[in-house]
Amino acid sequence: MRDPRVLTAGLAAALACGEPAPAAAPEEDAPAPTSRPLVPRDLDRTRGSSPASRPTVHREPIDARDLDLLARWPSLAHYPRVPQSLAAGLRARDPAAIFRGIELAFEPDRWTEIDAWERLAHIRLGEPAGFCRTDAGRPVQLSPGTYDLGCLGGFLEGVRLLWLPRLELADLVPCDPPGGFESCQDGAHAGRAALLQTAARLPADTLPHGLELLDLRLAELDPEALLAALVPDALHLCSVSHRASARGGERMYHHMMIVDPARDRLGRVRVFDTTGAAGVAWRSMRPERFHGYARRLLARHDAFRYDPASAWLTCLPVRPPASEITGP
């Protein structure tokens, strides 16, 4: 087992989530950033984040009608708010409603600057519970009223609310994954390890490809071929990776997302992830936009200098949870 401080440094590097060009805007179909009065706030910030003005946020108590949900999904206790659409989506086990509900829960708390990408916070269920970042291998709570999720933290919430309610971030990134899975290699493979760790905890009947991951080389696939390679009627837990010029061409699995390949009437797919100005977002993307987003936009990082031609989308297909209606 490697020193956890080494893993933490590598994980922070590997899951930095990219650094977009100033002109890069969220997908045209994404919700617009929230417009609210902004006030400066002294914040806990993860490595590399720039100071930002933040919305004035008031934490809203969960509706008394939905208190039963906390027993099944304990991370909800730490959300700044639980919109009724999220509560309804959880009761119906509707993935689209759940992803949209998570977005609405965090929408007022988005960063206000497009270059504030390196958010590595997550919701911790064990003590200390709540919004934490990891510093030298130890969890550190964020300032009260700070509700920031990094790309792995947002991915973790999607996995929790759909399949594994009590999963911890520490379960996803141990240095020596069980069952002979690959080493984290100082964090560069943390995104891939997170997929394999998730797979190891899911029921076999939810995994149409078992523990096998799809490694899709974007330079060899046009946008339509990329989507055709995904498994129909499954959600895809994915990590985007590129080779880092600054690390001798080492492949780094540095971003997480959940993809629903089912097309809407405009031919778009849906993507749930956590990035820059878009915050925690459930976005519609045309195939060419999705391809370019993973290959080029997520490659922009001044420190690691990712090579867009090396982009892979590595995915674990998972069947959505069975629909069920519970409670009132």
Side-chain angles (χ1 to χ4, degrees):
M1 178 69 72
R2 295 175 187 260
D3 186 329
R5 291 171 295 181
V6 174
L7 174 59
T8 300
L11 175 60
L15 292 172
C17 298
E19 189 172 318
E27 162 68 18
E28 63 272 14
D29 299 316
T34 304
S35 176
R36 292 185 176 218
L38 302 177
V39 296
R41 180 173 294 187
D42 180 23
L43 297 175
D44 289 307
R45 284 183 287 270
T46 55
R47 182 193 61 79
S49 297
S50 59
S53 297
R54 301 302 305 274
T56 301
V57 177
H58 300 285
R59 194 171 190 277
E60 301 169 10
I62 188 169
D63 191 298
R65 295 170 296 176
D66 300 320
L67 289 176
D68 63 302
L69 299 179
L70 298 182
R72 295 185 65 178
W73 293 284
S75 64
L76 293 176
H78 304 288
Y79 279 42
R81 61 198 60 79
V82 178
Q84 279 302 299
S85 60
L86 176 55
L90 288 169
R91 295 186 188 286
R93 311 300 286 125
D94 178 352
I98 290 171
F99 291 139
R100 175 59 175 153
I102 298 174
E103 178 182 55
L104 291 174
F106 290 93
E107 192 171 42
D109 306 300
R110 289 176 174 170
W111 287 93
T112 59
E113 297 180 2
I114 197 165
D115 61 349
W117 275 49
E118 297 189 344
R119 294 170 297 163
L120 298 174
H122 67 284
I123 297 174
R124 181 178 165 88
L125 302 180
E127 292 298 329
F131 283 81
C132 292
R133 57 182 173 84
T134 303
D135 185 9
R138 304 179 68 175
V140 177
Q141 287 185 301
L142 301 189
S143 299
T146 305
Y147 306 109
D148 296 321
L149 290 176
C151 61
L152 186 56
F155 171 85
L156 176 62
E157 286 311 301
V159 173
R160 279 172 169 167
L161 297 194
L162 267 74
W163 298 285
L164 299 170
R166 288 169 174 77
L167 189 69
E168 289 277 24
L169 183 136
D171 297 328
L172 295 180
V173 290
C175 231
D176 296 305
F181 296 151
E182 335 170 20
S183 164
C184 293
Q185 295 188 8
D186 192 23
H189 281 195
R192 186 180 182 91
L195 299 180
L196 293 170
Q197 290 290 346
T198 302
R201 289 164 170 78
L202 288 169
D205 61 2
T206 67
L207 302 173
H209 275 223
L211 298 180
E212 179 184 357
L213 299 182
L214 305 177
D215 283 317
L216 306 174
R217 306 183 183 199
L218 302 190
E220 300 174 5
L221 297 168
D222 64 28
E224 291 296 334
L226 170 62
L227 295 183
L230 300 180
V231 178
D233 302 320
L235 297 174
H236 290 68
L237 313 186
C238 299
S239 181
V240 177
S241 67
H242 296 81
R243 294 198 177 278
S245 300
R247 290 184 57 155
E250 180 180 16
R251 179 165 296 279
M252 299 180 70
Y253 293 80
H254 62 89
H255 188 74
M256 309 298 294
M257 60 175 67
I258 301 177
V259 181
D260 182 354
R263 308 287 194 97
D264 67 11
R265 60 185 180 82
L266 298 178
R268 302 171 300 184
V269 297
R270 303 302 300 272
V271 180
F272 175 77
D273 73 346
T274 309
T275 55
V280 181
W282 175 230
R283 296 189 277 179
S284 299
M285 294 188 182
R286 294 178 177 84
E288 57 275 12
R289 169 70 181 184
F290 176 55
H291 190 280
Y293 175 66
R295 185 179 184 183
R296 293 187 299 275
L297 182 56
L298 290 176
R300 295 194 60 85
H301 196 285
D302 288 344
F304 296 114
R305 302 198 307 274
Y306 294 128
D307 176 12
S310 70
W312 289 10
L313 186 68
T314 298
C315 297
L316 173 72
V318 184
R319 292 191 176 92
S323 298
E324 85 182 78
I325 305 295
T326 61

